[in-house]
Amino acid sequence: MWRVSSAYSPVAADAARLVSVFNGPVVAHLMECLEGREYLRTFGQSGKAMDHALAVLEVNARAQILNVALQRWFALQLEIIGGVMLLCVAVASMWRTNAHLGMSGLSLTYALTLTALAKYLVNYGTRALAQFASVERLLALSALRPEEEVHQEVQVAGKQGQASSTSPPAAWPFEGSLDLRSYQPSYLVHSKLGGTSMPSFPLQPLTLKVMAGEHLAMVGSSGAGKSTLLAGLSRLLPVGGGSLILDGWEAREVPLKRWRKALLCLPQQWLGDETGVGPTVG
């Protein structure tokens, strides 16, 4: 019984973790479809949404089937072990001619309840291991490096040197002019062979100057790099090449928190009141 439980517990705990992990995409897709149902119907994307829903449900169902199959396998193994143990107790009671009748009945009763007790203990131990999936996620998030270290590693990998981190004046930015000089956002790509990290550039070098008070609109197809450029301007992606200058201060010279404090983003929002007001873009 110990061998069966030791072989079952780690696999069942991983299967329970899979069930909890694959429940997330199902709930997320359902919430996205409910919030954007008008857009799905307007642009005729209901079929694609249904296909994606079926795909995530199938993956979730596979995890559920694996979890249930493991439980049924373990229950079958315990029933077989319990039956063998009950047979051994009955044969031993009959073999001994001087065996006490009451003790023999008590032994048979305990042998019958042994299977249910072992299943109870192992299942609850497995559930306890599966509940630690949330703790593992917290540990993984706490082990993430600060963004400042990643930005410095990108600069070192790109042979740009360590930039000074001098805070600009409290009133900065003064006007809001933006100057891009062969600017390229980047991220680190870790090589499995050499164990080194090299910067990768998702965009071509961009040179652009936006004066104070000017309005600029970015238009492009899906995958053109609009979101990547916005992520670079907010320094979610480190500066990999060129210069990113805001009101005379280069991005590498400004601390990350101070840079983001100087930016203001108004995303698209839905005013979900009962007046029927449509979406607004800021």
Side-chain angles (χ1 to χ4, degrees), residues 72-193:
R72 296 296 179 267
W73 175 85
F74 182 67
L76 178 61
Q77 297 296 321
L78 289 183
E79 292 293 339
I80 293 175
I81 294 175
V84 172
M85 185 173 296
L86 183 62
L87 179 62
C88 294
V89 173
V91 170
S93 300
M94 293 177 60
W95 186 265
R96 297 183 60 184
T97 57
N98 58 347
H100 193 272
L101 185 60
M103 295 301 295
S104 300
L106 184 62
S107 301
L108 290 175
T109 303
Y110 281 153
L112 286 173
T113 59
L114 180 62
T115 302
L117 180 61
K119 183 179 180 181
Y120 176 83
L121 293 176
V122 175
N123 283 337
Y124 271 84
T126 304
R127 291 181 183 180
L129 291 176
Q131 293 298 327
F132 274 91
S134 301
V135 180
E136 293 175 355
R137 293 180 184 178
L138 290 177
L139 290 176
L141 290 176
S142 62
L144 292 176
R145 295 183 302 166
E147 288 184 278
E148 292 83 356
E149 295 183 5
V150 178
H151 286 218
Q152 292 178 2
E153 187 175 351
V154 169
Q155 295 173 8
V156 172
K159 299 180 181 180
Q160 300 172 3
Q162 296 281 346
S164 60
S165 183
T166 306
S167 281
W172 179 84
F174 311 104
E175 298 177 349
S177 61
L178 182 65
D179 190 6
L180 307 180
R181 301 175 183 175
S182 300
Y183 167 70
Q184 284 183 293
S186 65
Y187 55 89
L188 288 178
V189 177
H190 298 278
S191 176
K192 296 181 180 180
L193 298 178

Side-chain angles (χ1 to χ4, degrees), residues 238-254:
V239 180
S243 299
L244 173 60
I245 303 173
L246 178 61
D247 264 357
W249 283 81
E250 216 279 338
R252 299 187 185 91
E253 300 176 354
V254 181

